[in-house]
Amino acid sequence: MSSHHFVKEQQEPALLILDTKGFSYETIAPLLEWSPTVLVAQEEVLTVISWGLKIDLILAQMDFQKENYHLLEEQYPVKFLGVDNDEFLENGLQYLIATKHSAVNIIGFNHQQVFSLEEKLAFLDLVIWDAPMRYFPVKNGVFKKWFSSATLQLHAPEGTFIEVQEDSESQIHRITYATFVEVEEGTTILKSDKIFWVGEFVMEV
């Protein structure tokens, strides 16, 4: 199956780059395998260009567009997507929903604010990259995955209960600020009656 098929059907997760602080090209490169749609906030454009990435849309305020009109030619066929009031994330997500994308990796978003995104989960699968971790939502109450031994962050509103099952053992965690759990190699099952987010380390700290 070709990458063209994935792009045409908008099945490959888009890449929305808001902030590159703490990230390198090597971190981002695996997300580019199937030539996803790449959206970049105006402040990160030069960094992303220096990485050699092809940008599809620059999320930009009017002043930036006027001052950097040359980018439309130099980075053809890049386009500007107008942004008002620093709403880079909101405008980017609205564009992806309108163009029938099904998923997006968001680079450089504060995981403490993910709860504000949960209304978008009906339209998009979201993965949040907040160096050095990435966070994904568990929407249906149960998550099951094989891990090599790992440290996970369970992220949900304070007071949320999440059950962690490993082999035949089960523990209930009441979420407080920065709740981390250690899981051994094997299959881990996480359960809650509410939406929660799981954070994994994706780079050394």
Side-chain angles (χ1 to χ4, degrees):
M1 189 174 291
S2 71
S3 60
H4 177 74
H5 173 84
F6 276 86
V7 174
K8 183 178 179 182
E9 301 298 330
Q10 314 290 27
Q11 295 302 305
E12 178 64 15
L15 186 58
L16 174 52
I17 300 176
L18 299 173
D19 190 346
T20 59
K21 184 178 180 181
F23 293 95
S24 65
Y25 171 76
E26 287 70 26
T27 311
I28 305 300
L31 304 177
L32 302 169
E33 183 178 358
W34 292 99
S35 301
T37 300
V38 177
L39 293 75
V40 181
Q42 62 185 36
E43 299 301 327
E44 300 301 329
V45 167
L46 294 182
T47 298
V48 174
I49 289 174
S50 76
W51 288 349
L53 269 64
K54 175 188 170 296
I55 302 173
D56 296 288
L57 280 173
I58 298 172
L59 302 164
Q61 296 170 325
M62 187 56 68
D63 286 348
F64 181 93
Q65 294 182 42
K66 291 176 180 177
E67 293 168 8
N68 295 274
Y69 196 75
H70 59 94
L71 290 174
L72 296 181
E73 183 174 342
E74 293 173 7
Q75 301 294 319
Y76 181 84
V78 72
K79 297 177 181 177
F80 286 128
L81 182 66
V83 171
D84 295 320
N85 305 318
D86 293 328
E87 299 265 322
F88 296 101
L89 175 63
E90 178 65 24
N91 288 177
L93 293 179
Q94 292 289 359
Y95 171 84
L96 293 172
I97 292 169
T99 51
K100 302 292 192 276
H101 285 74
S102 60
V104 58
N105 285 289
I106 302 174
I107 307 298
F109 181 73
N110 184 347
H111 73 276
Q112 295 291 340
Q113 300 175 22
V114 293
F115 308 130
S116 67
L117 302 179
E118 290 180 356
E119 64 181 26
K120 298 290 193 300
L121 294 177
F123 307 100
L124 286 168
D125 289 327
L126 305 177
V127 178
I128 305 301
W129 296 66
D130 184 7
M133 303 186 78
R134 71 177 170 203
Y135 297 81
F136 52 88
V138 178
K139 296 183 283 187
N140 60 3
V142 181
F143 174 76
K144 182 177 181 180
K145 183 179 177 181
W146 187 93
F147 290 98
S148 56
S149 58
T151 301
L152 305 178
Q153 182 180 358
L154 305 180
H155 189 50
E158 294 222 357
T160 300
F161 290 97
I162 299 176
E163 181 180 0
V164 180
Q165 294 180 356
E166 294 184 82
D167 296 327
S168 58
E169 295 186 4
S170 179
Q171 287 186 311
I172 302 292
H173 294 266
R174 186 175 186 271
I175 300 304
T176 57
Y177 178 78
T179 299
F180 286 90
V181 297
E182 303 290 333
V183 298
E184 301 298 325
E185 182 172 333
T187 299
T188 297
I189 301 173
L190 306 173
K191 296 181 180 179
S192 181
D193 60 357
K194 298 179 180 177
I195 293 175
F196 62 99
W197 297 72
V198 179
E200 296 180 282
F201 284 98
V202 289
M203 58 189 79
E204 298 293 330
V205 290

